[in-house]
């Protein structure tokens, strides 16, 4: 600093000045010349360094810039620290109930939209989880682009052929675990209608396997809300039943029919009893009823249209038991605001026979259904239905649609919260 001051001062001295000569002779500064060529002044030399008259100002500017950058870096670190951590989960839909999970519960998009496409996929953020979903015949073992170590596998275990297929997928995931490509696994399982699901037991972590969580359809006695959770059957997506968006017309319109039942009527079943009662009392004329003797796995475009029209034009939907009390018809009726009338009886098999069964999950959620112990009660129920005002029917419909929307939101929250707790709590 002193040399810089001296250099500034000497520029103001005449070349013949004794002080200037003295400073040059003792080496405070080298001999100074002022050049006119090149259009500028040759700077005085401070020792071996070129003097920069703006050095202090530049140093201050650089220091301020450094402080600003450091402050911004610390700000970014605070933002990153406070930003919720996102976790990735892939869902492999190898059973039709995967579409109910993805489109109806998680409300995720699917591309392409064509339901007949061999490969479909989608992404959605729910809570702290970034979900990706893959489904379709072309989604095969070893060809899913795995970008996470957390996988949910959606499987069908209703019959032996389906179980064999599901087992192959479980074995594939087991191989991925052995190679450390996957660490956390959950299974959503369309289980046996008689709740006989012993085949999957060895794969559960509590039995020495690798499946951390099991979401299981029907009132299985395995459900403990720790590692086994009950899951809703949902609508028949395998028959292309769509996502139905409620509207004001659905709530307030006058529906021309009291009830509906379109389905397979098995010999010596309660469905046969139901159809007989409707015919004997003449109430079949006030309801849309179509019975068939043989179950058909697929709907035609026309049969699906007729079925949806029946739901949309009926006040109530009759839901007799099949192999299990829980059936697709219950959820499909809810989607159209047609109150399910449920045969409240436990079916034979290994499902829970506790007081809360059947339909344990739906009852716990406060489902606004009509429960009958015997179809002989139906004529009296339909007489009461005739006496209801349009305002009462509209209000009941509104409550049902709101409940069904709330139920799906509850399932969405529950699914994601269970995954977050089991998969990512300690990560």
């Amino acid at each position: 600093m002193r040399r810089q001051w001296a250099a500034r001062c000497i520029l103001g001295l005449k070349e013949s000045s004794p002080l200037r000569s003295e400073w040059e002779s003792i080496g405070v500064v080298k001999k100074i010349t002022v050049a006119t060529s090149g259009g500028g002044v040759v700077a005085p030399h401070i020792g071996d360094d070129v003097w920069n008259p703006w050095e202090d100002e530049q140093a201050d500017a650089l220091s301020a810039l450094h402080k600003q950058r450091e402050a911004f870096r610390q700000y970014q670190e605070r933002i990153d620290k406070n930003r919720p951590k996102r976790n990735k989960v892939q869902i492999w839909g190898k059973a039709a109930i995967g579409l109910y999970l993805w489109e109806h519960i998680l409300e995720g998009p699917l591309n392409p939209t064509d339901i007949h496409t061999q490969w479909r996929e989608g992404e959605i953020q729910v809570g702290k989880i970034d979900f990706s979903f893959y489904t379709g015949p072309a989604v095969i073992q070893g060809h899913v682009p795995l970008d996470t170590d957390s996988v949910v596998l959606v499987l069908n275990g209703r019959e032996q052929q389906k179980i064999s297929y599901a087992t192959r997928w479980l074995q594939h995931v087991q191989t991925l675990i052995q190679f450390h490509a996957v660490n956390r696994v959950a299974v959503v399982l369309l289980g046996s209608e008689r709740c006989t699901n012993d085949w999957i037991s060895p794969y559960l972590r509590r039995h020495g396997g690798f499946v951390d969580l099991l979401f299981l359809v029907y009132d299985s006695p395995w459900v403990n809300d720790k590692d086994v959770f009950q899951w809703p059957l949902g609508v028949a997506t395998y028959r292309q039943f769509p996502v139905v968006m409620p509207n004001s017309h659905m709530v307030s319109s006058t529906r021309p029919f009291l009830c509906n039942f379109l389905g397979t009527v098995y010999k010596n079943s309660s469905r046969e009893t139901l159809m007989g009662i409707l015919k004997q009392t003449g109430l079949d004329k006030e309801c849309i009823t179509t019975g068939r003797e043989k179950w058909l796995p697929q709907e035609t475009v026309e049969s699906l249209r007729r079925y949806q029209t029946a739901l949309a034009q009926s006040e109530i939907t009759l839901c007799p038991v099949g192999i299990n009390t829980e059936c697709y018809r219950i959820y499909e009726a809810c989607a159209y605001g047609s109150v399910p009338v449920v045969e409240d009886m436990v079916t034979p098999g290994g499902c829970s026979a506790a007081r809360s069964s059947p339909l344990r999950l739906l009852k716990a959620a406060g489902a606004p259904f009509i429960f009958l112990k015997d179809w002989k009660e139906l004529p009296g129920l339909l007489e009461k239905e005739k006496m209801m005002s349009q305002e009462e029917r509209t209000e009941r419909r509104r409550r049902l649609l709101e409940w069904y929307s709330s139920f799906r939101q509850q399932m969405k929250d529950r699914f994601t919260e269970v995954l977050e707790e089991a998969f990512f709590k300690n990560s």
Side-chain angles (χ1 to χ4, degrees), residues 35 69-70 83 114 129 164 183 212 233 241 290 315 336 355:
R69 287 175 175 172
E70 180 63 20
R83 182 182 289 122
D114 181 2
I129 300 179
S164 298
N183 289 323
D212 301 287
L233 175 62
F241 193 90
T290 302
E315 293 295 338
Y336 277 97
R355 289 184 60 187

Side-chain angles (χ1 to χ4, degrees), residues 267-340:
K267 288 290 184 181
N268 303 316
S269 68
S270 69
R271 297 183 177 197
E272 192 175 53
T273 302
L274 166 63
M275 295 294 280
I277 290 173
L278 287 173
K279 188 173 183 179
Q280 291 167 11
T281 58
L283 291 169
D284 58 333
K285 298 179 178 62
E286 301 191 48
C287 299
I288 305 175
T289 58
T290 302
R292 59 190 180 201
E293 294 183 357
K294 185 178 180 181
W295 177 77
L296 299 176
Q298 295 296 330
E299 297 281 0
T300 64
V301 173
E302 180 59 25
S303 65
L304 179 60
R305 185 194 64 78
R306 284 199 305 268
Y307 178 55
Q308 291 177 274
T309 299
L311 295 174
Q313 293 187 350
S314 303
E315 293 295 338
I316 61 178
T317 295
L318 308 180
C319 303
V321 299
I323 299 175
N324 193 286
T325 309
E326 188 173 4
C327 61
Y328 298 113
R329 191 187 320 276
I330 292 172
Y331 298 89
E332 292 160 352
C334 289
Y336 277 97
S338 182
V339 179

Side-chain angles (χ1 to χ4, degrees), residues 261 268-274 277 317-327 329-330 340-347 357-359 363 369-377 381:
F261 173 73
N268 303 316
S269 68
S270 69
R271 297 183 177 197
E272 192 175 53
T273 302
L274 166 63
I277 290 173
T317 295
L318 308 180
C319 303
V321 299
I323 299 175
N324 193 286
T325 309
E326 188 173 4
C327 61
R329 191 187 320 276
I330 292 172
V341 178
V342 179
E343 188 175 7
D344 194 14
M345 61 173 289
V346 176
T347 52
S357 295
L359 305 179
K363 288 177 179 177
F369 302 166
I370 298 171
F371 295 94
L372 297 181
K373 292 294 183 183
D374 194 312
W375 287 117
K376 293 178 181 178
E377 303 172 43
L381 171 65

Side-chain angles (χ1 to χ4, degrees), residues 21-143:
S21 298
E22 181 182 354
W23 281 3
E24 289 175 348
S25 66
I26 63 176
V28 173
V29 294
K30 292 185 178 181
K31 186 172 180 65
I32 299 173
T33 59
V34 179
T36 58
S37 62
V41 177
V42 177
H45 284 72
I46 313 301
D48 293 329
D49 300 324
V50 176
W51 172 57
N52 179 1
W54 298 282
E55 181 178 359
D56 292 342
E57 290 83 352
Q58 287 178 345
D60 290 343
L62 287 171
S63 177
L65 181 60
H66 175 74
K67 289 179 181 179
Q68 289 175 355
R69 287 175 175 172
E70 180 63 20
F72 183 72
R73 184 187 66 79
Q74 293 176 0
Y75 169 75
Q76 287 290 92
E77 286 180 352
R78 289 196 300 271
I79 292 294
D80 292 339
K81 185 177 180 180
N82 294 328
R83 182 182 289 122
K85 182 179 179 182
R86 306 224 47 94
N87 303 294
K88 287 187 175 182
V89 173
Q90 284 193 355
I91 303 175
W92 299 350
K94 298 312 299 175
I97 58 166
L99 292 174
Y100 185 71
L101 164 62
W102 184 253
E103 294 189 295
H104 297 251
I105 301 294
L106 296 180
E107 300 175 289
L110 263 184
N111 294 301
T113 56
D114 181 2
I115 61 175
H116 301 295
T117 305
Q118 295 293 298
W119 178 290
R120 304 176 75 194
E121 61 184 76
E123 295 181 349
I124 193 171
Q125 294 183 355
V126 183
K128 298 177 182 178
I129 300 179
D130 293 336
F131 286 105
S132 53
F133 179 73
Y134 300 92
T135 191
V139 176
I140 59 177
Q141 297 164 19
H143 287 77

Side-chain angles (χ1 to χ4, degrees), residues 104-227:
H104 297 251
I105 301 294
L106 296 180
E107 300 175 289
L110 263 184
N111 294 301
T113 56
D114 181 2
I115 61 175
H116 301 295
T117 305
Q118 295 293 298
W119 178 290
R120 304 176 75 194
E121 61 184 76
E123 295 181 349
I124 193 171
Q125 294 183 355
V126 183
K128 298 177 182 178
I129 300 179
D130 293 336
F131 286 105
S132 53
F133 179 73
Y134 300 92
T135 191
V139 176
I140 59 177
Q141 297 164 19
H143 287 77
V144 180
L146 191 62
D147 63 353
T148 177
D149 63 356
S150 303
V151 170
V152 176
L153 194 55
V154 185
L155 301 172
N156 186 337
R158 264 195 175 181
E159 56 190 48
Q160 189 54 53
Q161 184 180 3
K162 303 291 186 182
I163 291 172
S164 298
Y165 182 73
T167 300
R168 290 197 293 273
W169 272 95
L170 286 168
Q171 291 170 345
H172 170 64
V173 172
Q174 189 172 28
T175 301
L176 294 176
I177 290 174
Q178 292 168 351
F179 283 94
H180 306 290
V182 171
N183 289 323
R184 294 173 284 258
V185 179
V187 171
V188 177
L189 180 64
L190 175 58
S192 159
E193 291 175 278
R194 300 185 186 276
C195 297
T196 52
N197 302 299
D198 292 345
W199 66 273
I200 200 172
S201 181
Y203 294 98
L204 303 184
R205 188 171 295 281
R206 62 162 128 154
H207 295 145
F210 57 87
V211 175
D212 301 287
L213 301 169
L214 178 63
F215 296 88
L216 186 57
V217 177
Y218 302 123
D219 290 359
S220 171
W222 291 6
V223 172
N224 56 19
D225 290 335
K226 294 178 181 178
D227 65 332

